[in-house]
Amino acid sequence: MTMKRIIKNISVIAVLMVFTLTSCTEDLNIVPNDDDTLLGSELYEDEAAYERVIAGVYANLALTGTGGPESSNIEGIDAGTSQFGRVLLYLQTLTADQMIWSYENDPGTRELQRNIWTAQNPMILGMYSRTHLTIALANNFLRETTAAKLDSRGVSESTRADIIEYRAEARLLRALSYYYMMDLFGKANFGTEANAVNTVLPVAERAELFEFIESELLDIESDLVDAGQNQYGRADKGVAYMILAKIYLNAEVYTGTPRYADCMNYCQQLLSSGYVLATEYKHNFQADNNLNSATGEVIFPIISDGSTTQNYGPTTVMINGSVGSLEVNGAEVGVSEAAWGGAIRVRKEFAQLWEGGNFIDDDRNTIISANRPIGITDISDPNQGYIIQKYSNMSSDGVAGIDQTFVDTDFPLFRLADVHLMYAEAHLRGGGGTITEAVNLVNALRTRANNPNTISNGDLTLPFILDERARELHWEAHRRQDLIRFGLFTGGNYNWAWKGNGSNGIAIPAHLNLFPIPSLSMSSNPNLSQNPGY
């Protein structure tokens, strides 16, 4: 049984589980919306529950509540501003140079895409809260699966063997959550299963988080399933290697010490772990990307299903958001004809990366320009700016997803193409490897995209890598992180349309490299201090 099916089957129990954690997540101000949803430790008396409960930790990456897409299991936090993949996309992509959201009356979006956010932004609160909730869920699972508790329940040896893997996965998902806290906020409320409940959590700063993430992933490696060999949607060694590669690539930002050789080491491990590029670029972003050739490339997805796990996740947002203009009919991408009225477009700087003859037939170039202007002088006008059709609710066989709003397309959080580009960048930054292999890995992506304009050794430079990452990985929640690593997110060395609330872009202060700690979280945990500049 795949994790996609498991999440479907246990979504209600999984999300209700969070209400057992109120006492150990005071920093989130979580309050049960319905006393009947409270579940106690008696749940674990059923041996079949352990699989369902670990799937619940995964489910928190996709779901926001049990009452459908509009429901939220965290009081005071809206479902639309707290779905993990969606708020991750907004914080990593909408704040940078690739995406514009038309409807600025949607809470939080105006401030994010104009780089004028504050500690009251609901999207920032949604990311902070949802990520900490994953940590709390993982901690609860680990508390309930100690050897002593399994002994007291008489759990069978066969189930115990499975629980070894489940515990490693819970620790990995916790490390993943702390990775995003480290990247986005530079600190986090820090708790493990060892922390007593009903206590206010201490706070870990960036260096401490980095050390914890690294040590956790190294410690659990032997208990994880081999890379690419777990059930679809479940984490394995490949996901651990990917997180390690990412933290090492960005280590100079996080700790002040470059770790490019370590990044190269894990890129090489991933490249030798049996992953293969999808036969077609678009397979990674279609409704059957859990079944088509993308299964060889996607290292870790966020599950989406149009029937039983309906939510306003990133693929639902991006697919519906590209529809509604005169140029795009919903039937082409498997959603309703009108959809969301041209909600999302691209900024001109991203569109300009595709100009010239080298990218006219590149499969990654899904820009639709028609008679539209490339620039956006009025964000509220959906007819300004180019649009793209990267994601689709159509399968590789041309069959539409089961629902015309909530899509079946899983979000590729990590995929092999990123490893190709990380290898090339780590090599250029002195991490080892060879120039021949770096060029070959970049050219493999171009060849897969049917782009005959392959590169030679002299073409491989850091500015080239930054642009090629945008062409390959746009709208996959990497761009802000990339621009920060290249020193281009804040300051005025690179300005894009509407950066800093200027139509042509203006310099923004360095403190915006980190998001503020949400005001609600500050008031709930006296150990928290605000990031500088806010």
Side-chain angles (χ1 to χ4, degrees):
M1 181 180 292
T2 68
M3 183 56 65
K4 191 161 187 172
R5 177 173 292 181
I6 293 169
I7 288 178
K8 290 183 192 178
N9 292 342
I10 58 83
S11 58
V12 172
I13 288 178
V15 180
L16 295 183
M17 259 181 53
V18 301
F19 297 134
T20 68
L21 305 173
T22 303
S23 60
C24 61
T25 55
E26 291 180 347
D27 53 294
L28 303 183
N29 195 28
I30 297 172
V31 179
N33 289 315
D34 183 349
D35 289 340
D36 292 336
T37 67
L38 290 171
L39 297 173
S41 59
E42 64 272 11
L43 170 69
Y44 293 87
E45 300 294 337
D46 177 7
E47 288 200 19
Y50 292 95
E51 182 181 46
R52 295 197 297 268
V53 175
I54 188 60
V57 187
Y58 286 95
N60 193 55
L61 300 179
L63 306 176
T64 56
T66 61
E70 308 290 344
S71 68
S72 174
N73 51 26
I74 306 176
E75 187 176 275
I77 298 179
D78 181 76
T81 60
S82 68
Q83 199 278 343
F84 173 78
R86 179 174 182 173
V87 291
L88 177 65
L89 177 77
Y90 280 22
L91 267 59
Q92 296 280 31
T93 302
L94 192 62
T95 61
D97 60 349
Q98 295 181 345
M99 179 184 286
I100 280 285
W101 182 258
S102 300
Y103 307 127
E104 291 200 296
N105 58 333
D106 283 4
T109 55
R110 180 180 189 274
E111 294 77 15
L112 289 179
Q113 66 185 8
R114 294 172 185 253
N115 311 101
I116 54 172
W117 55 77
T118 68
Q120 287 73 46
N121 188 283
M123 294 286 183
I124 295 174
L125 174 62
M127 184 68 195
Y128 193 92
S129 302
R130 184 64 58 187
T131 306
H132 274 93
L133 188 50
T134 297
I135 295 166
L137 284 165
N139 286 341
N140 187 69
F141 180 82
L142 293 167
R143 289 189 190 100
E144 294 294 338
T145 53
T146 62
K149 291 200 173 183
L150 297 180
D151 287 343
S152 70
R153 297 172 186 142
V155 174
S156 68
E157 289 301 319
S158 61
T159 299
R160 284 171 182 258
D162 291 335
I163 289 173
I164 291 173
E165 293 177 5
Y166 298 160
R167 285 178 61 85
E169 290 173 43
R171 292 172 68 183
L172 187 151
L173 293 172
R174 182 175 64 186
L176 173 72
S177 299
Y178 279 129
Y179 158 63
Y180 282 116
M181 294 302 300
M182 174 179 66
D183 182 73
L184 296 166
F185 298 98
K187 65 179 69 174
N189 302 311
F190 186 75
T192 69
E193 70 275 19
N195 289 84
V197 298
N198 268 333
T199 58
V200 176
L201 294 173
V203 174
E205 301 289 337
R206 239 180 183 173
E208 185 180 354
L209 288 173
F210 187 98
E211 182 178 351
F212 174 79
I213 295 161
E214 179 183 31
S215 62
E216 274 287 276
L217 295 174
L218 295 175
D219 191 54
I220 64 177
E221 179 181 0
S222 62
D223 289 335
L224 290 167
V225 175
D226 287 343
Q229 299 304 306
N230 211 342
Q231 296 166 310
Y232 177 82
R234 281 179 60 184
D236 53 28
K237 290 178 183 177
V239 182
Y241 297 161
M242 190 72 179
I243 300 171
L244 286 166
K246 300 292 276 188
I247 69 168
Y248 292 140
L249 182 68
N250 294 281
E252 193 165 8
V253 173
Y254 299 148
T255 70
T257 302
R259 299 282 296 273
Y260 298 114
D262 292 315
C263 174
M264 177 63 71
N265 174 42
Y266 282 97
C267 286
Q268 290 171 330
Q269 289 202 49
L270 285 161
L271 290 167
S272 62
S273 291
Y275 297 106
V276 293
L277 294 177
T279 56
E280 297 184 43
Y281 178 75
K282 64 182 179 181
H283 282 183
N284 291 296
F285 317 104
Q286 293 182 312
D288 62 341
N289 58 357
N290 64 312
L291 299 171
N292 65 27
S293 70
T295 58
E297 178 170 353
V298 176
I299 295 170
F300 191 56
I302 296 177
I303 301 298
S304 182
D305 182 86
S307 176
T308 55
T309 61
Q310 294 184 348
N311 63 82
Y312 290 105
T315 51
T316 287
V317 169
M318 289 184 286
I319 294 169
N320 283 277
S322 69
V323 175
S325 65
L326 296 176
E327 296 85 3
V328 182
N329 186 294
E332 299 172 25
V333 290
V335 294
S336 63
E337 182 175 348
W340 294 359
I344 309 181
R345 289 152 290 140
V346 300
R347 306 192 200 217
K348 68 177 181 180
E349 289 76 15
F350 173 71
Q352 287 168 342
L353 289 177
W354 303 98
E355 291 180 345
N358 286 351
F359 303 102
I360 292 176
D361 297 319
D362 192 305
D363 289 345
R364 302 170 299 179
N365 181 3
T366 62
I367 283 180
I368 299 173
S369 56
N371 296 315
R372 305 170 68 90
I374 192 172
I376 299 173
T377 58
D378 179 359
I379 291 177
S380 66
D381 183 354
N383 293 312
Q384 292 185 6
Y386 295 169
I387 51 181
I388 64 173
Q389 281 191 319
K390 177 169 181 170
Y391 292 87
S392 174
N393 193 33
M394 299 288 288
S395 73
S396 51
D397 295 327
V399 178
I402 196 168
D403 190 270
Q404 287 193 306
T405 296
F406 302 103
V407 305
D408 289 339
T409 311
D410 295 342
F411 182 70
L413 190 66
F414 298 136
R415 63 186 179 93
L416 181 63
D418 192 2
V419 180
H420 283 222
L421 294 166
M422 286 196 292
Y423 180 109
E425 182 178 341
H427 169 74
L428 290 173
R429 294 186 184 274
T434 69
I435 185 67
T436 300
E437 180 66 3
V439 168
N440 287 342
L441 289 169
V442 171
N443 283 337
L445 300 179
R446 290 202 162 193
T447 300
R448 192 263 299 270
N450 292 311
N451 186 333
N453 299 287
T454 54
I455 67 167
S456 60
N457 292 4
D459 298 317
L460 192 66
T461 65
L462 286 173
F464 169 87
I465 286 293
L466 181 63
D467 289 348
E468 197 72 0
R469 286 185 64 82
R471 285 185 280 260
E472 177 70 32
L473 300 168
H474 58 279
W475 291 22
E476 296 181 51
H478 300 292
R479 187 60 172 175
R480 166 195 160 274
Q481 183 186 86
D482 289 347
L483 289 175
I484 289 173
R485 187 173 65 257
F486 278 77
L488 297 175
F489 186 69
T490 58
N493 289 334
Y494 172 44
N495 294 330
W496 56 85
W498 296 103
K499 177 183 177 181
N501 204 21
S503 59
N504 293 316
I506 60 174
I508 58 177
H511 75 268
L512 295 181
N513 281 326
L514 286 174
F515 290 102
I517 305 302
S519 298
L520 179 61
S521 298
M522 288 280 294
S523 64
S524 299
N525 187 349
N527 293 324
L528 275 169
S529 60
Q530 187 54 271
N531 282 327
Y534 293 104

